[in-house]
Amino acid sequence: MITLQFLRGTGWDSKLIEWFGHGAQFSHVDSILPDGSLLGSRSDVVMGVPEGVQIRPAAYVGQQKTLKIELPSTPEQEAEYYLFLNDQLGKPYDKRGIISFITGRNWQTPDAWFCSELVGTGLVRCGWFPHPLTTPTNKLDPAGLILAISAETNVNLS
């Protein structure tokens, strides 16, 4: 099982992401690791963990609104997904990510990651999506990722 946690941030950048995401109320996504820690890409230092693709303690979320989504997957898909994520550790945050909603950028370019780009690319690479994602090449925000995931009929939104 691949488990994701969407988060509603409180900063101006979170509000901007939500606005471009058509009010989906979530501005960030992490992958929940088996030990409960969170692997994702952030633009800020959180609990002493630097920006970029990092593993952060689950406690960093605090009281912010979250949505957990469990994605049924084969053991092979799960292993490939987490292998991909671990290979991305230490890569920088895609600072152009928010700007690219307007200006354009291929969201699967592996040199830097925005949170939903990282998760979406991981799901594509492990074969979780049965078909190629139909999304603008410059934008896979958290709202778009939730929409793509919800198109799969056997997903548990909890």
Side-chain angles (χ1 to χ4, degrees):
M1 176 107 25
I2 296 170
T3 307
L4 306 177
Q5 180 170 274
F6 289 83
L7 171 73
R8 184 174 199 185
T10 56
W12 69 268
D13 52 344
S14 295
K15 300 301 178 202
L16 186 62
I17 293 166
E18 286 179 37
W19 187 79
F20 274 104
H22 311 292
Q25 300 184 6
F26 295 100
S27 57
H28 181 72
V29 60
D30 285 306
S31 297
I32 301 177
L33 300 177
D35 68 359
S37 59
L38 304 171
L39 194 160
S41 186
R42 292 190 57 97
S43 64
D44 53 353
V45 175
V46 177
M47 299 180 81
V49 180
E51 69 175 42
V53 181
Q54 304 289 343
I55 296 173
R56 296 172 179 82
Y60 98 79
V61 172
Q63 298 299 314
Q64 297 177 80
K65 179 181 176 180
T66 61
L67 169 69
K68 289 184 183 174
I69 299 178
E70 296 177 342
L71 306 178
S73 56
T74 66
E76 295 80 18
Q77 287 173 320
E78 185 177 349
E80 192 170 335
Y81 177 76
Y82 288 109
L83 179 64
F84 169 78
L85 290 184
N86 280 303
D87 285 347
Q88 306 311 304
L89 284 171
K91 287 195 177 177
Y93 179 80
D94 180 10
K95 293 183 182 193
R96 297 176 299 161
I98 295 172
I99 297 167
S100 71
F101 290 173
I102 300 167
T103 62
R105 175 190 184 279
N106 182 343
W107 62 269
Q108 293 189 55
T109 301
D111 56 341
W113 295 108
F114 182 78
C115 64
S116 47
E117 294 172 340
L118 175 67
V119 171
T121 301
L123 292 172
V124 167
R125 296 237 180 131
C126 78
W128 191 84
F129 287 110
H131 308 287
L133 286 180
T134 304
T135 182
T137 59
N138 67 321
K139 182 178 179 181
L140 183 63
D141 60 15
L145 184 58
I146 289 172
L147 181 62
I149 289 169
S150 68
E152 297 301 310
T153 59
N154 57 351
V155 173
N156 178 22
L157 299 175
S158 59

